[in-house]
Amino acid sequence: MSPCTRVRAHSPAAVVLAVTALAATGCGGTGSAASGDDKVVTVYSADGLKGETGNGWYDEQFEAFERKTGIKVKYVEGGSGEMVQRTDREKNNTQADVLVTLPPFIQQADSKGLLARYVPEGAAHIPEDQRPANGHWTPLVNNYFGFIHNTDKLPKPPTTWEDLLDAKYKDKLQYSTPGVAGDGTALVIKAVHDFGGRKAAMDYLGRLQKNNVGPSSSTSKLAPKVDKGELLVANGDVQMNYAQAETMPNLGIWFPAARKGKAPTTFALPYSAGLVKGAPHAGNAKKLLDFLLGERPQREVSSIGGGFTVREDIEATDDKAKELARLMKGVEVFRPDWDEVATHLDSYVSDWQRATGS
């Protein structure tokens, strides 16, 4: 069964195993994140929204939230799959208050009973078909799957998947691990879509393995390697890589086409947030979710975070929003069947492991 249904997006605005605990102004993290302090909220999140130098969307919004409420954000970061696994391991002694992951891991977290119902203020401005009926999670920042290339050593990026099989990419190509990293899982989903089925996609990924450096639990760690020229190509996502490019001048974003003559393709890969079931600071978690979906934070998704607002009532007009719109021009956007992917995620990962010998 194919996990994808084709649609076209007319406007982008309408549209990893180590865990790193990071500290920044207004937020911090430890191996045991929860605290008895009532003025705290703990966020477990996929990487990408926190800046490399403390200037990301999370950095700005967490600091603003603490100024407004006096509530300190404790932050723990890792791959989407690892964040779900960690939350699941801790469900009898819950540490996290808010979980933020990419699909299909937010759906997986919900199916494991890790999330509680809460519909944040502002959620009504998110299209109904982009949020679950049970109210267990909410899209937070819109984003798209993509690839990056080194613009100095590879000024013109490849155009198709087939191009990546060229010998010049041997040990110069790497992608994050499916089943651990959200963007790594996304690579498999896009391959299945572009090659017209799972078998053809796995056959291709098996051939690509001769050029692949090897596993990476974190997608965000690939960009510095590409920027330095250690890699020519890696996977990523538009929001994270666009934000990283401010301090990594040799990063270029591109989208592979299924084959020559076809339009490049991608799909929405939104950061999605849910209230953790049994959260030790549920009230504070709700306040944070309300805040992050507020008009000002959502308007700053593009200008600060390099992403796309999830609210249809907000039209970003800043220079970065315009540049992001140009980047997406001519790219065909399809919509995966996330419920199908989440239900069969283990088999997707198993097939990939067999195909690549990973």
Side-chain angles (χ1 to χ4, degrees):
M1 181 186 298
S2 172
C4 306
T5 303
R6 301 176 75 89
V7 300
R8 283 189 181 272
H10 301 287
S11 167
V15 166
V16 349
L17 171 65
V19 177
T20 304
L22 301 176
T25 302
C27 55
T30 64
S32 179
S35 166
D37 186 353
D38 288 336
K39 303 295 283 185
V40 69
V41 58
T42 298
V43 176
Y44 282 11
S45 178
D47 53 356
L49 291 175
K50 192 177 187 303
E52 297 287 332
T53 59
N55 63 343
W57 188 73
Y58 268 163
D59 303 284
E60 297 286 338
Q61 305 314 324
F62 291 169
E63 185 176 355
F65 177 72
E66 183 175 356
R67 286 198 308 267
K68 179 179 180 179
T69 66
I71 299 170
K72 182 181 179 66
V73 179
K74 291 191 173 183
Y75 179 70
V76 179
E77 179 182 281
S80 285
E82 171 57 18
M83 291 295 92
V84 173
Q85 293 166 15
R86 180 167 176 169
T87 305
D88 191 33
R89 290 195 304 267
E90 296 172 351
K91 63 185 175 184
N92 294 324
N93 181 27
T94 306
Q95 303 290 299
D97 299 304
V98 173
L99 176 66
V100 183
T101 72
L102 303 179
F105 297 98
I106 196 71
Q107 291 86 351
Q108 184 186 63
D110 194 16
S111 70
K112 291 176 176 288
L114 301 178
L115 304 177
R117 176 177 173 80
Y118 182 64
V119 181
E121 295 176 8
H125 297 291
I126 303 172
E128 286 191 27
D129 64 352
Q130 295 178 24
R131 47 192 172 95
N134 65 9
H136 284 190
W137 52 269
T138 310
L140 185 63
V141 170
N142 257 333
N143 191 18
Y144 296 88
F145 175 74
F147 276 74
I148 50 176
H149 68 105
N150 180 287
T151 57
D152 180 38
K153 296 185 177 181
L154 189 70
K156 185 178 180 180
T159 58
T160 69
W161 288 101
E162 203 67 23
D163 291 341
L164 297 178
L165 297 177
D166 192 288
K168 72 179 179 182
Y169 295 109
K170 182 173 177 58
D171 296 330
K172 291 293 183 178
L173 174 152
Q174 189 174 18
Y175 60 88
S176 50
T177 307
V180 176
D183 290 324
T185 306
L187 180 142
V188 172
I189 295 169
K190 175 171 159 58
V192 171
H193 170 270
D194 286 1
F195 286 98
R198 196 187 299 201
K199 185 180 185 305
M202 298 306 166
D203 287 346
Y204 168 81
L205 292 173
R207 289 187 289 149
L208 183 65
Q209 194 66 10
K210 67 183 180 182
N211 287 342
N212 187 18
V213 171
S216 173
S217 62
S218 169
T219 312
S220 66
K221 294 179 180 179
L222 299 180
K225 296 180 181 180
V226 174
D227 181 57
K228 295 173 184 176
E230 296 173 20
L231 298 173
L232 293 176
V233 171
N235 70 318
D237 60 69
V238 173
Q239 177 278 324
M240 177 175 63
N241 296 142
Y242 185 85
Q244 289 173 314
E246 289 195 0
T247 57
M248 301 178 191
N250 296 319
L251 286 189
I253 300 173
W254 66 286
F255 308 90
R259 55 186 177 277
K260 188 176 294 186
K262 291 291 185 178
T265 68
T266 189
F267 57 96
L269 199 62
Y271 295 91
S272 299
L275 172 66
V276 177
K277 188 176 182 179
H281 309 101
N284 296 344
K286 293 176 181 180
K287 291 178 182 179
L288 178 61
L289 291 169
D290 290 345
F291 180 86
L292 294 175
L293 282 172
E295 185 174 345
R296 181 175 176 178
Q298 284 295 309
R299 194 171 295 281
E300 293 178 339
V301 163
S302 55
S303 62
I304 296 176
F308 308 83
T309 179
V310 295
R311 289 180 50 157
E312 58 185 349
D313 63 325
I314 293 175
E315 182 179 0
T317 58
D318 58 273
D319 290 343
K320 290 183 180 179
K322 293 176 182 178
E323 188 172 352
L324 286 164
R326 288 193 293 269
L327 178 65
M328 297 297 296
K329 188 175 181 180
V331 182
E332 184 179 294
V333 179
F334 64 92
R335 179 179 295 170
D337 181 343
W338 290 117
D339 290 333
E340 190 276 339
V341 175
T343 299
H344 301 287
L345 180 58
D346 289 346
S347 68
Y348 277 85
V349 174
S350 294
D351 284 354
W352 170 80
Q353 291 172 333
R354 283 195 295 269
T356 61
S358 299

